[in-house]
Amino acid sequence: MHLRLNTELLSGLFGLALTALFFFNRGDVGFLSSVFPNTVLVLVGAISAVLLVRGFFAAEPTTLSFDGAGSVLIGVGVMAAWWLGIKHVGFVTTSVPLFAALALVMKRRAGPLAPRDYLIALAVALVVVGGFFWVFSDVLGIRPFRAPLL
């Protein structure tokens, strides 16, 4: 399926909506704590406004092809399941299979998978997830994503 859209206009509208959503949900924080988030909000809002203006005056509609969108929807579903699973199962127990599966999916595009590929994907996933867990818990002092299973 093909669809002609003004992507700059839509991106600008989406960016401004996202900026407004985060702006009105900032809460009460001190000045020093709000410097970085406020700076990011200003930058996202400014870039979105530029995209909106370009979309109104200078943009040509872009033809988007949705051929092969099924794999993207499956990926979005897997990421949503991971996000929901963190709360109930834990960060480590959901992230290791996710990262290993994503690595295998990317490797599979290059050709058939060998048993060695499974071991490498699992090892890389363990190192990446273990690194994130260590940084959050020991370096930053945050016990991330507590759930019944680590």
Side-chain angles (χ1 to χ4, degrees):
M1 179 171 92
H2 298 285
L3 189 63
R4 288 184 52 82
L5 293 172
N6 187 339
T7 54
E8 289 181 344
L9 182 65
L10 290 174
S11 299
L13 288 171
F14 179 75
L16 286 177
L18 197 63
T19 301
L21 177 73
F22 283 114
F23 179 79
F24 291 116
N25 288 302
R26 287 181 305 158
D28 285 333
V29 292
F31 172 74
L32 291 178
S33 298
S34 67
V35 169
F36 179 72
N38 288 342
T39 304
V40 170
L41 282 175
V42 167
L43 289 173
V44 171
I47 291 170
S48 299
V50 169
L51 283 171
L52 194 66
V53 169
R54 281 187 54 126
F56 275 125
F57 297 111
E60 291 289 325
T62 304
T63 302
L64 299 177
S65 174
F66 291 100
D67 298 335
S71 61
V72 172
L73 292 176
I74 290 171
V76 169
V78 167
M79 294 301 283
W82 170 69
W83 181 64
L84 294 171
I86 287 175
K87 179 181 177 183
H88 302 291
V89 183
F91 175 73
V92 174
T93 51
T94 55
S95 298
V96 170
L98 173 82
F99 282 105
L102 289 176
L104 290 171
V105 166
M106 289 187 288
K107 174 69 175 160
R108 187 168 178 254
R109 288 181 176 231
L113 296 173
R116 181 174 179 247
D117 295 329
Y118 291 97
L119 294 175
I120 291 172
L122 182 61
V124 169
L126 285 170
V127 168
V128 169
V129 172
F132 273 109
F133 192 81
W134 174 75
V135 166
F136 271 93
S137 60
D138 291 343
V139 176
L140 299 175
I142 301 169
R143 291 299 291 176
F145 323 116
R146 298 300 289 169
L149 302 171
L150 194 58

